[in-house]
Amino acid sequence: MAGKISVTLALLAMNHEKYILQACESIAAQTYKDFEVVFLDNNSTDRTFEIADEYFKTSGIKYRGYKNDVNKNVSQNLNILVDRAETDYITFLSGDDWYTEDNMQKKIDFMLQTGADVVFTDGYKYLQDTGETVALYDPRNKKKAINLANYFNEAITGNFLYAIGFMTSRKILSDLKFDENIMMEDWDICLRLAYNGHKMAFLNEPLFYYRVMLTSLSNNKEVMHKDYAVVINKFIDHINSDKVLSKKYWLRQYKSRIRELEKIQDKSKAELQEYAENKQKYAALKYPFPINKIIASYWSLKK
């Protein structure tokens, strides 16, 4: 039955000349064979495209390769890959990451066993600067990942799920599309998958290696804050209509802002007022009974 599922392995790379061959070799080593490779190079200035293109053209794997004339963002590239896929299912790989040889076979078997619409898996982090291989998830987030039945409510205040190498139907992603206006496309697509009722399942086996480099860590807090607001705004009416979810969300918002303001050494009058207001709002929401509200409000101002 598994052999009836054909998959597009969507490979995306940009200036991955040092790593692309390892990604290609991990694809060719897959024990599952009913797949095509669609490779998209995001206007690399090195030999990334040439290396991958030469490799796949002599690999015997069904393959199509493309190279952008201009740089596009991640979401734009992912949407292009989805549009160019010719199979019913699709999975993704970055040019600096790689799969274990049983990656696709195990994801397909698990999808059939669980009836899931979307399958995520565990993996490893490979720390490029030290050569160490470490666990992808900490225990707390691993526990959340294993139980994805309540993903939306768990993740609306912050993502905990790695979307690397996730597998789903091409139609689902063709309908939803990756949001091309944000950088937090992984969190956004996972939230929308859950919100739209697609069954998400987590295979608790490490089936990929995620290469982490110091340069890959985003320090653009302003952009991340903006994107966070854009994503949340899609669901804010739903959040506010659910008492439990609304409380959880707003507690996090007040607490996060309190911490940000606490880091400011010399607060302006407006910042001091905002700080006090956020502490009052947090205390009133955290301690809902009238007497507790009064006590909590008093101590929030004293601290």
Side-chain angles (χ1 to χ4, degrees), residues 176-191:
L176 286 182
K177 298 288 186 186
F178 289 92
D179 189 332
E180 298 184 358
N181 298 309
I182 58 175
M183 291 175 60
M184 302 174 78
E185 78 289 333
D186 51 350
W187 180 46
D188 175 72
I189 196 68
C190 288
L191 283 173

Side-chain angles (χ1 to χ4, degrees), residues 6 15 31 79 138 159 172 187-188 195 198 202 243 263:
S6 59
N15 293 333
T31 57
N79 284 332
D138 61 45
N159 194 29
I172 286 174
W187 180 46
D188 175 72
Y195 186 75
H198 296 296
F202 180 81
K243 277 190 175 182
K263 292 177 183 178

Side-chain angles (χ1 to χ4, degrees), residues 97-100 103 120-126 133-138 142 145 161-165 202-212:
D97 301 332
W98 69 99
Y99 278 170
T100 61
N103 180 291
F120 302 86
T121 80
D122 197 358
Y124 298 106
K125 283 182 185 177
Y126 177 76
T133 299
V134 299
L136 185 68
Y137 286 92
D138 61 45
K142 169 66 83 66
L161 185 64
Y162 286 88
I164 300 163
F202 180 81
L203 175 54
N204 189 19
E205 291 190 45
L207 299 179
F208 62 82
Y209 290 82
Y210 168 48
R211 194 184 305 271
V212 179

Side-chain angles (χ1 to χ4, degrees), residues 74 96 125 129 162 182-186 210-228:
V74 174
D96 56 346
K125 283 182 185 177
D129 297 289
Y162 286 88
I182 58 175
M183 291 175 60
M184 302 174 78
E185 78 289 333
D186 51 350
Y210 168 48
R211 194 184 305 271
V212 179
M213 295 172 277
L214 292 178
T215 54
S216 66
L217 300 176
S218 174
N219 292 315
N220 196 333
K221 291 183 179 180
E222 186 177 341
V223 172
M224 299 303 279
H225 276 300
K226 172 183 160 294
D227 285 358
Y228 181 88

Side-chain angles (χ1 to χ4, degrees), residues 97-148:
D97 301 332
W98 69 99
Y99 278 170
T100 61
E101 64 181 17
D102 53 357
N103 180 291
M104 288 207 291
Q105 183 68 64
K106 288 196 171 182
K107 286 189 294 195
I108 289 168
D109 290 344
F110 189 66
M111 183 174 280
L112 291 170
Q113 289 164 11
T114 60
D117 299 311
V118 195
V119 169
F120 302 86
T121 80
D122 197 358
Y124 298 106
K125 283 182 185 177
Y126 177 76
L127 308 182
Q128 180 65 35
D129 297 289
T130 64
E132 294 176 270
T133 299
V134 299
L136 185 68
Y137 286 92
D138 61 45
R140 183 168 175 269
N141 284 336
K142 169 66 83 66
K143 187 176 180 180
K144 287 183 180 180
I146 291 172
N147 180 22
L148 289 183

